PDB file of all heavy atoms in Angstrom:
ATOM      1  N   ASP A 229      58.784  -2.889 -38.945  1.00 89.00           N
ATOM      2  CA  ASP A 229      59.304  -4.003 -39.714  1.00 89.00           C
ATOM      3  C   ASP A 229      60.367  -4.776 -39.024  1.00 89.00           C
ATOM      4  O   ASP A 229      60.488  -5.951 -39.149  1.00 89.00           O
ATOM      5  CB  ASP A 229      59.823  -3.427 -41.031  1.00 89.00           C
ATOM      6  CG  ASP A 229      58.635  -2.990 -42.018  1.00 89.00           C
ATOM      7  OD1 ASP A 229      57.486  -3.374 -41.761  1.00 89.00           O
ATOM      8  OD2 ASP A 229      58.991  -2.288 -42.982  1.00 89.00           O
ATOM      9  N   GLY A 230      61.180  -3.946 -38.244  1.00 88.00           N
ATOM     10  CA  GLY A 230      62.253  -4.600 -37.465  1.00 88.00           C
ATOM     11  C   GLY A 230      61.779  -5.534 -36.460  1.00 88.00           C
ATOM     12  O   GLY A 230      62.282  -6.615 -36.252  1.00 88.00           O
ATOM     13  N   VAL A 231      60.755  -5.092 -35.756  1.00 92.00           N
ATOM     14  CA  VAL A 231      60.112  -6.015 -34.712  1.00 92.00           C
ATOM     15  C   VAL A 231      59.567  -7.317 -35.415  1.00 92.00           C
ATOM     16  O   VAL A 231      59.734  -8.370 -34.817  1.00 92.00           O
ATOM     17  CB  VAL A 231      58.951  -5.251 -34.047  1.00 92.00           C
ATOM     18  CG1 VAL A 231      58.102  -6.207 -33.188  1.00 92.00           C
ATOM     19  CG2 VAL A 231      59.520  -4.226 -33.091  1.00 92.00           C
ATOM     20  N   ARG A 232      58.927  -7.126 -36.589  1.00 91.00           N
ATOM     21  CA  ARG A 232      58.359  -8.360 -37.201  1.00 91.00           C
ATOM     22  C   ARG A 232      59.520  -9.297 -37.695  1.00 91.00           C
ATOM     23  O   ARG A 232      59.322 -10.486 -37.617  1.00 91.00           O
ATOM     24  CB  ARG A 232      57.454  -7.862 -38.397  1.00 91.00           C
ATOM     25  CG  ARG A 232      56.242  -7.065 -37.986  1.00 91.00           C
ATOM     26  CD  ARG A 232      55.311  -6.864 -39.149  1.00 91.00           C
ATOM     27  NE  ARG A 232      54.128  -6.107 -38.775  1.00 91.00           N
ATOM     28  CZ  ARG A 232      53.916  -4.788 -39.032  1.00 91.00           C
ATOM     29  NH1 ARG A 232      54.825  -4.134 -39.634  1.00 91.00           N
ATOM     30  NH2 ARG A 232      52.816  -4.198 -38.636  1.00 91.00           N
ATOM     31  N   VAL A 233      60.538  -8.717 -38.246  1.00 85.00           N
ATOM     32  CA  VAL A 233      61.612  -9.564 -38.783  1.00 85.00           C
ATOM     33  C   VAL A 233      62.288 -10.309 -37.701  1.00 85.00           C
ATOM     34  O   VAL A 233      62.451 -11.562 -37.815  1.00 85.00           O
ATOM     35  CB  VAL A 233      62.640  -8.635 -39.420  1.00 85.00           C
ATOM     36  CG1 VAL A 233      64.003  -9.373 -39.634  1.00 85.00           C
ATOM     37  CG2 VAL A 233      62.211  -8.094 -40.715  1.00 85.00           C
ATOM     38  N   VAL A 234      62.555  -9.664 -36.485  1.00 87.00           N
ATOM     39  CA  VAL A 234      63.139 -10.321 -35.396  1.00 87.00           C
ATOM     40  C   VAL A 234      62.214 -11.378 -34.724  1.00 87.00           C
ATOM     41  O   VAL A 234      62.658 -12.418 -34.394  1.00 87.00           O
ATOM     42  CB  VAL A 234      63.588  -9.276 -34.313  1.00 87.00           C
ATOM     43  CG1 VAL A 234      64.025  -9.989 -33.048  1.00 87.00           C
ATOM     44  CG2 VAL A 234      64.774  -8.486 -34.873  1.00 87.00           C
ATOM     45  N   ALA A 235      60.950 -11.055 -34.670  1.00 89.00           N
ATOM     46  CA  ALA A 235      59.968 -11.995 -34.091  1.00 89.00           C
ATOM     47  C   ALA A 235      59.831 -13.252 -34.920  1.00 89.00           C
ATOM     48  O   ALA A 235      59.650 -14.332 -34.437  1.00 89.00           O
ATOM     49  CB  ALA A 235      58.580 -11.290 -33.985  1.00 89.00           C
ATOM     50  N   ALA A 236      60.078 -13.035 -36.218  1.00 83.00           N
ATOM     51  CA  ALA A 236      60.041 -14.178 -37.125  1.00 83.00           C
ATOM     52  C   ALA A 236      61.305 -15.126 -37.146  1.00 83.00           C
ATOM     53  O   ALA A 236      61.387 -16.083 -37.827  1.00 83.00           O
ATOM     54  CB  ALA A 236      59.735 -13.690 -38.532  1.00 83.00           C
ATOM     55  N   GLY A 237      62.251 -14.632 -36.332  1.00 75.00           N
ATOM     56  CA  GLY A 237      63.517 -15.463 -36.277  1.00 75.00           C
ATOM     57  C   GLY A 237      64.570 -15.029 -37.256  1.00 75.00           C
ATOM     58  O   GLY A 237      65.591 -15.720 -37.390  1.00 75.00           O
ATOM     59  N   GLU A 238      64.368 -13.959 -37.981  1.00 71.00           N
ATOM     60  CA  GLU A 238      65.397 -13.465 -38.911  1.00 71.00           C
ATOM     61  C   GLU A 238      66.403 -12.574 -38.252  1.00 71.00           C
ATOM     62  O   GLU A 238      66.096 -12.057 -37.119  1.00 71.00           O
ATOM     63  CB  GLU A 238      64.762 -12.704 -40.052  1.00 71.00           C
ATOM     64  CG  GLU A 238      63.742 -13.510 -40.876  1.00 71.00           C
ATOM     65  CD  GLU A 238      64.396 -14.392 -41.905  1.00 71.00           C
ATOM     66  OE1 GLU A 238      65.679 -14.295 -42.046  1.00 71.00           O
ATOM     67  OE2 GLU A 238      63.682 -15.178 -42.565  1.00 71.00           O
ATOM     68  N   ALA A 239      67.594 -12.376 -38.885  1.00 66.00           N
ATOM     69  CA  ALA A 239      68.492 -11.459 -38.308  1.00 66.00           C
ATOM     70  C   ALA A 239      68.199 -10.031 -38.803  1.00 66.00           C
ATOM     71  O   ALA A 239      67.700  -9.898 -39.905  1.00 66.00           O
ATOM     72  CB  ALA A 239      69.916 -11.833 -38.763  1.00 66.00           C
ATOM     73  N   LEU A 240      68.526  -9.011 -38.042  1.00 67.00           N
ATOM     74  CA  LEU A 240      68.272  -7.677 -38.497  1.00 67.00           C
ATOM     75  C   LEU A 240      69.487  -6.783 -38.143  1.00 67.00           C
ATOM     76  O   LEU A 240      69.854  -6.544 -37.008  1.00 67.00           O
ATOM     77  CB  LEU A 240      67.081  -7.109 -37.763  1.00 67.00           C
ATOM     78  CG  LEU A 240      66.706  -5.659 -38.202  1.00 67.00           C
ATOM     79  CD1 LEU A 240      66.181  -5.642 -39.677  1.00 67.00           C
ATOM     80  CD2 LEU A 240      65.655  -5.022 -37.245  1.00 67.00           C
TER      81      LEU A 240
END
Side-chain angles (χ1 to χ4, degrees):
D229 287 347
V231 167
R232 294 187 181 104
V233 166
V234 169
E238 299 280 355
L240 182 69

